[in-house]
Amino acid sequence: MSQSNPFPDPTKLPVHVAIIMDGNGRWALKRGLPRLAGHKAGTENLRRVIRACVEFGIQYLTIYAFSTENWGRPREEVNGLLRILEDVIDRELKELDDQGVRLRHIGRLEQLPSHLQAKVIEAVKLTQNNTRLTLNIAFNYGGRDEILQAVQHMLRDGVTAEQVTPETFSRYLYTVGTPDPDLIIRTSGELRISNFLIWQAAYSEWYVTPTYWPDFDKQEFQKALETYANRDRRYGKVSSAEYEGNHA
Ligand code: FPP
């Protein structure tokens, strides 16, 4: 039986959700499985959450799949994560395209194996005209790296000091064209930003849950969105109602 969208009012939904998909390793460890089994279960879950985004009407989803620091993990795990990216493109691209998902990559593509770079570029090209959901895959992504690259590009382009505004700067980031995240979800209970979207997250709302990523199902995702819908976002200001209340 098809269920109606629990979020009929799109103004209550975040436009852009970003997720730190943490806890795959501990999920596997708890079951006596190798860490890669956790990443595979995490990939299955990602498929469910992407479907939920399409169903609920989320417009942008950014997922942290591999950080610039993750190269320091054991070779087997690094190779496994590279293989997962390749498998996702090989096996899921058709369904993603059918769902109207536009794929984008954020991070340093040039450090990935050349055949994988080509696959990523092809997948991005194939889905470039889709409009239902933009899925930014942060793979070999680091927030500091992104900022340094932006500064280098601005200098190379001859941008003057006066021209360096938040708007200009944002145009030099990997996320150009994507609004800042409204909601950032971090699974597995850790309370840190881990070099993820450090410029873009300035006024994002956070939702942290102890649930490991492979278990963060549609219901939990819905709960995160409901929590967001009840947040009062002030962007460092005070609401006029609060001000008037204090000055009556
Ligand atoms: C963090 O958990 C997770 C990662 C570093 C990888 C996340 C990748 C996926 C969910 C697969 C989807 C990937 C693509 C390319 C679409 P952790 O390993 O740090 O967990 P732990 O903190 O419990 O050890």
Side-chain angles (χ1 to χ4, degrees):
M1 199 179 70
S2 77
Q3 290 183 336
S4 60
N5 187 337
F7 301 101
D9 178 1
T11 62
K12 296 259 182 226
L13 271 177
V15 172
H16 180 186
V17 178
I19 308 184
I20 302 180
M21 309 180 290
D22 199 8
N24 293 343
R26 278 163 285 164
W27 181 94
L29 192 71
K30 216 172 81 181
R31 288 163 177 76
L33 297 169
R35 292 179 55 83
L36 263 180
H39 295 315
K40 285 184 185 147
T43 310
E44 287 300 310
N45 193 50
L46 177 58
R47 186 191 289 135
R48 292 189 279 270
V49 169
I50 292 171
R51 282 197 195 127
C53 282
V54 170
E55 185 185 331
F56 297 155
I58 302 292
Q59 293 175 47
Y60 296 86
L61 173 67
T62 300
I63 50 151
Y64 205 7
F66 192 94
S67 76
T68 43
E69 289 72 39
N70 285 154
W71 296 106
R73 293 192 175 200
R75 196 69 229 163
E76 193 189 338
E77 184 167 345
V78 169
N79 287 342
L81 286 165
L82 290 167
R83 213 171 313 116
I84 285 178
L85 177 60
E86 192 171 348
D87 283 352
V88 165
I89 296 173
D90 287 345
R91 296 185 198 159
E92 312 287 339
L93 191 58
K94 178 156 186 335
E95 186 188 331
L96 290 170
D97 192 33
D98 289 347
Q99 289 181 97
V101 176
R102 174 172 68 145
L103 274 183
R104 289 185 65 200
H105 168 262
I106 61 170
R108 273 196 195 245
L109 192 60
E110 71 277 13
Q111 288 170 349
L112 301 188
S114 54
H115 76 282
L116 190 51
Q117 290 181 35
K119 282 194 183 197
V120 171
I121 291 168
E122 206 184 303
V124 168
K125 196 161 164 229
L126 180 87
T127 60
Q128 66 184 342
N129 294 321
N130 291 340
T131 53
R132 204 138 179 220
L133 170 72
T134 296
L135 173 63
N136 292 316
I137 302 183
F139 200 102
N140 195 21
Y141 171 87
R144 285 186 168 184
D145 181 60
E146 178 180 41
I147 288 170
L148 292 180
Q149 289 233 63
V151 173
Q152 288 169 0
H153 283 164
M154 284 193 294
L155 292 174
R156 268 188 231 118
D157 283 357
V159 175
T160 63
E162 293 69 32
Q163 287 168 335
V164 182
T165 61
E167 292 73 29
T168 309
F169 190 68
S170 297
R171 280 201 291 276
Y172 279 86
L173 297 173
Y174 294 128
T175 48
V176 57
T178 293
D180 288 345
D182 301 294
L183 172 66
I184 302 183
I185 297 172
R186 181 164 192 152
T187 56
S188 95
E190 307 293 348
L191 298 173
R192 48 178 179 262
I193 196 163
S194 297
N195 206 11
F196 186 47
L197 302 177
I198 53 181
W199 166 272
Q200 299 87 338
Y203 280 102
S204 303
E205 296 292 324
W206 281 81
Y207 181 88
V208 176
T209 169
T211 306
Y212 295 148
W213 171 250
D215 293 329
F216 185 80
D217 59 14
K218 187 177 165 187
Q219 281 68 36
E220 279 234 34
F221 184 49
Q222 191 171 319
K223 195 171 129 198
L225 298 177
E226 281 162 2
T227 304
Y228 171 84
N230 289 311
R231 296 269 176 93
D232 177 23
R233 297 187 74 187
R234 292 193 299 271
Y235 301 92
K237 301 172 184 142
V238 286
S239 68
S240 50
E242 270 176 319
Y243 185 82
E244 276 147 26
N246 285 333
H247 291 78

